[in-house]
Amino acid sequence: DIQVTQSPSSLSASVGDRVTINCRTSQSINIYLNWYQQKPGKAPKLLISSASTLQSGVPSRFSGSGSGTDFTLTISSLQPEDYATYFCQHTSSTPCTFGQGTKLEIK
Amino acid sequence: EVQLVQSGAEVKKPGESLKISCKGSGYTFSNNWIGWVRQMPGRGLEWMGIMYPGDSDTRYSPSFQGQVTFSADTSISTAYLQWNSLKASDTGIYYCARQVWTGLTDCFDHWGQGTLVTVSS
């Protein structure tokens, strides 16, 4: 099975900051990597698929990059509504494991 | 509009059985894999597996193989997650999600609202 390591597990940042969250897989997965956002009490929401494809309606301050084993989610200028937990997920092969999550908190 | 609507919260005792549901609408239910994801209290997301309602092809995570059963009734566009004998460690929120192929990758593009399962004596 492919292991997914997400870092950091938590992050404190201010409105307007640039934030990066990382995901590393135990073997190469090409671009089979998705990012989700989850707010308290809500279901996850798909933000980015195939490492860098922004989903319709997702603000352009979100971006994704990477291929192979190393991937990054970047929020260029943090907004109040972005405080949430973020998960990556690989879909290269089953089981399609999620990363452990990054909780983004207000500084 | 694509929607997945899950059944309501459940409180069960250890050893009891349970079947929760996920009803799809706004798309052809048989034509997309449905995934199940567990979130234990205060924890992350765990991929349990996926099922293709059109032919009942199923892929379980090794962590959940033999512990749960996926099924579906395409006549009512509903997927099910079933336990035969619940344990306290099954307590958590269970999400269903529609899997789509974007042309580049699979992903869960629509999610149910989640079903809270509490197992306690």
Side-chain angles (χ1 to χ4, degrees), chain A:
Chain A
D1 297 355
I2 296 173
Q3 309 305 313
V4 181
T5 304
Q6 189 174 337
S7 62
S9 57
S10 65
L11 177 56
S12 192
S14 301
V15 172
D17 283 354
R18 180 182 180 88
V19 166
T20 60
I21 297 169
N22 302 295
C23 220
R24 175 167 287 176
T25 56
S26 59
Q27 62 190 74
S28 178
I29 60 167
N30 196 350
I31 58 169
Y32 296 117
L33 194 285
N34 307 312
W35 290 97
Y36 300 86
Q37 176 193 65
Q38 187 181 32
K39 295 185 177 180
K42 299 293 187 184
K45 172 189 172 184
L46 178 65
L47 293 179
I48 289 171
S49 64
S50 54
S52 62
T53 303
L54 203 63
Q55 297 305 292
S56 175
V58 175
S60 58
R61 63 181 179 273
F62 290 91
S63 63
S65 63
S67 67
T69 61
D70 289 285
F71 302 86
T72 300
L73 172 69
T74 300
I75 308 173
S76 60
S77 179
L78 205 56
Q79 297 303 300
E81 60 267 31
D82 300 337
Y83 290 95
T85 302
Y86 294 85
F87 296 93
C88 58
Q89 180 208 20
H90 88 83
T91 53
S92 175
S93 59
T94 59
C96 299
T97 318
F98 290 91
Q100 298 90 334
T102 296
K103 186 173 183 179
L104 184 48
E105 298 174 309
I106 301 172
K107 191 171 187 178

Side-chain angles (χ1 to χ4, degrees), chain B:
Chain B
E1 179 197 4
V2 173
Q3 280 194 311
L4 295 171
V5 178
Q6 298 185 232
S7 49
E10 302 274 1
V11 179
K12 292 289 190 179
K13 291 181 167 40
E16 292 186 330
S17 63
L18 176 64
K19 193 173 191 177
I20 64 173
S21 66
C22 168
K23 183 173 176 60
S25 62
Y27 73 103
T28 303
F29 183 76
S30 301
N31 291 356
N32 288 90
W33 293 82
I34 286 284
W36 289 96
V37 175
R38 181 174 79 175
Q39 188 165 39
M40 297 174 76
R43 306 296 295 275
L45 304 175
E46 297 176 86
W47 189 90
M48 300 176 69
I50 52 174
M51 179 180 187
Y52 191 75
D55 62 6
S56 298
D57 188 8
T58 307
R59 316 283 167 83
Y60 292 100
S61 165
S63 299
F64 291 93
Q65 179 85 48
Q67 308 304 308
V68 297
T69 303
F70 303 153
S71 61
D73 184 342
T74 56
S75 69
I76 55 171
S77 301
T78 301
Y80 300 98
L81 169 60
Q82 181 175 352
W83 294 261
N84 288 335
S85 181
L86 285 160
K87 302 185 273 289
S89 57
D90 292 317
T91 294
I93 298 173
Y94 292 83
Y95 293 101
C96 63
R98 185 182 78 159
Q99 181 166 294
V100 296
W101 171 252
T102 68
L104 293 174
T105 190
D106 291 303
C107 57
F108 290 142
D109 72 334
H110 285 83
W111 294 66
Q113 82 276 21
T115 296
L116 174 62
V117 174
T118 304
V119 184
S120 173
S121 53

